[in-house]
Amino acid sequence: MTPSELTYERFEGKEAAGKLDTFLEAYEEVYAEPPYGEGPSDIAEFIEHYQVHAQRDGMRLVLARDGDQVAGFTYGYLLPADSRWWANVQEELPEDFTREDGARTWVILELAVRKAWRRLGVAANLARPTPRRPGRRACHAHRPARA
């Protein structure tokens, strides 16, 4: 498998809400692995959160496909003006950096690639900026490195 053999599909707004079943199996597989170790209650929580996220401004879902299989996915949305996103950052950031206006920052909430398609550049392709991507900048949420 080479990355050029994969296809990428993009879904915007409410259309993305209806695609959860398309990539849920991939989510379950990836997040069952360490360091996540997610089980049924975590999956149920993800489903709830995704349905809320899918209603946000700037929602975008991108699927990487190998034939009829989902090899990976990513999704995110625009931070609203009243976002508390930056409040959990471990270091203090200047106010002009953390100020949101509802159109400034597009955040990647999830980005996952199934084991069989890792180390092929799939994650980089999923995260790559595309024309008309919402926001003037992007941010990717991830777990801090373990000490």
Side-chain angles (χ1 to χ4, degrees), residues 6-89:
L6 295 175
T7 59
Y8 293 85
E9 297 175 294
R10 182 175 69 212
F11 304 95
E12 312 269 342
K14 295 187 191 304
E15 184 182 19
K19 297 297 179 183
L20 177 62
D21 288 343
T22 306
F23 72 91
L24 187 58
E25 183 179 318
Y27 179 93
E28 292 171 339
E29 180 182 310
V30 170
Y31 287 98
E33 299 173 5
Y36 311 105
E38 290 191 3
S41 65
D42 301 298
I43 302 302
E45 183 178 26
F46 168 74
I47 292 168
E48 264 182 54
H49 289 173
Y50 182 80
Q51 294 302 337
V52 171
H53 296 160
Q55 305 307 312
R56 302 249 178 158
D57 287 343
M59 173 64 177
R60 176 177 282 182
L61 166 69
V62 180
L63 302 177
R65 289 185 176 271
D66 180 359
D68 63 349
Q69 295 185 70
V70 172
F73 67 91
T74 189
Y75 83 85
Y77 57 80
L78 286 168
L79 290 180
D82 62 350
S83 176
R84 302 227 351 103
W85 178 270
W86 303 107
N88 295 319
V89 175

Side-chain angles (χ1 to χ4, degrees), residues 19 23 31 42 72 85 88 90 105-106 122 133 141-142 146:
K19 297 297 179 183
F23 72 91
Y31 287 98
D42 301 298
W85 178 270
N88 295 319
Q90 294 176 343
T105 308
W106 188 78
V122 177
R133 184 193 70 211
H142 64 88
R146 295 185 184 206

